[in-house]
């Protein structure tokens, strides 16, 4: 599929999706959001892609939603634009494959919200995170008020959103917004290495683990535990469970089949 504002490439079983509007620091306009929506569907359908990496072309991850496009919106249009972004980010979050955000540079506003929709965030040492919206006369609009407190806790999320203060990668690491910080030139290598490690495991088990975590975090502990129990049980219906355990006992590498 041909995209104008995205680049999609495959490296073995790893999909790499780059937001590609470097002149606007990859700001998310409607077209880019529409393309992202199609790209997530495409990755969902592609059995050969086991893990997705999302990154930005050039010196930014994503510097936010497109301010030039938003400036003249009325209330109905503003709501529709927010809805478009929220839906595509939720689709990314629910993708039945792990998503790693490789955050290179600015991850502001919609950019911070995009990386929070990924399962795992790796930042380059020069990455910058923030929710600057209140400085522009709006609230975060692509679910930042909801995902940031879920990731870093209510107090820190409120501080960051109310002050619109940007934070560097080291602080993002300290508050748990990112999993790790790596040298800028090593970012993609590190993301790919992690993706390959994930892809070497039983894919159905990885997918079920993601589902158990995501669904479990949104419900009470007893329901959450029963979600894990059911998915755990289902693993025993797969060849991969037999293969994984047989390989362990035979002291060899497992050869997983399910995609
Ligand atoms: N939207 C549109 N264009 C942008 C954006 C953006 N978010 N960010 C950068 N650009 C453009 C600049 O306008 C500039 O274009 P041009 O060359 O044509 O003048 C080009 O990218 C390069 O940017 P700068 O010259 O500003 O580069 P600097 O290195 O000097 O600064 C910064 C980089 C600090 C990232 C600066 O560009 C900046 O502050 N950008 C805006 C960051 C921001 O406030 N982002 C949040 C936007 S709001 C948002 O994301 C809300 C999400 C939900 C919306 C829901 C709505 C309903």
């Amino acid at each position: 599929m041909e995209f104008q504002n995205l680049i999609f490439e495959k490296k073995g079983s790893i999909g790499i999706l780059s937001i590609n509007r470097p002149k606007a620091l990859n700001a998310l306009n409607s077209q880019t959001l529409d393309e992202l929506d199609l790209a997530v569907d495409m990755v969902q359908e592609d059995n050969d892609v086991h893990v997705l990496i999302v990154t930005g072309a050039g010196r930014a991850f994503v510097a936010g939603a497109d301010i030039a496009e938003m400036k003249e919106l009325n209330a109905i249009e503003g709501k529709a634009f927010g809805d478009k972004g929220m839906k595509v980010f939720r689709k990314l979050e629910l993708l039945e494959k792990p998503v790693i955000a490789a955050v290179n540079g600015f991850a502001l506003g919609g950019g911070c919200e995009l990386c929070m929709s990924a399962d795992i965030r790796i930042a380059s040492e020069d990455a910058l995170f923030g929710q600057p919206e209140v400085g522009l006369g709006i609230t975060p609009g692509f679910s930042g008020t909801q995902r940031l407190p879920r990731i870093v806790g209510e107090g820190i999320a409120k501080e960051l959103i109310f002050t619109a203060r940007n934070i560097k990668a080291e602080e993002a690491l300290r508050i748990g917004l990112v999993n790790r910080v790596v040298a800028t030139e090593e970012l993609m290598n590190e993301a790919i290495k992690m993706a390959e490690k994930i892809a070497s495991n039983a894919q159905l088990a990885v997918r079920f683990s993601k589902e158990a975590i995501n669904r479990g975090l949104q419900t009470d502990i007893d329901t959450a535990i029963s979600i894990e129990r059911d998915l755990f049980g289902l693993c025993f219906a797969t060849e991969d469970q037999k293969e994984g355990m047989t390989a362990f006992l035979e002291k060899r590498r497992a050869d997983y089949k399910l995609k």
Side-chain angles (χ1 to χ4, degrees), residues 63-130:
D66 192 310
I67 297 171
E69 180 174 335
M70 284 187 293
K71 182 174 164 284
E72 299 300 339
L73 299 183
N74 63 31
I76 303 285
E77 292 162 341
K79 191 172 171 199
F81 187 57
D83 202 46
K84 187 191 278 284
M86 283 178 188
K87 282 188 177 141
V88 64
F89 287 11
R90 182 72 174 138
K91 188 184 268 192
L92 183 69
E93 186 170 57
L94 294 176
L95 186 72
E96 291 176 355
K97 318 180 181 208
V99 180
I100 299 172
V103 183
N104 55 309
F106 301 112
L108 302 176
C112 190
E113 290 166 312
L114 173 60
C115 80
M116 288 192 290
S117 306
D119 299 303
I120 293 166
R121 285 159 287 284
I122 306 179
S124 64
E125 56 200 352
D126 59 356
L128 194 72
F129 297 81

Side-chain angles (χ1 to χ4, degrees), residues 167-186:
I167 58 171
K168 293 184 177 167
E170 277 309 323
E171 185 171 352
L173 181 66
R174 184 164 54 73
I175 65 174
L177 180 55
V178 301
N179 296 59
R180 54 172 95 148
V181 179
V182 300
T184 303
E185 60 281 7
E186 282 304 312

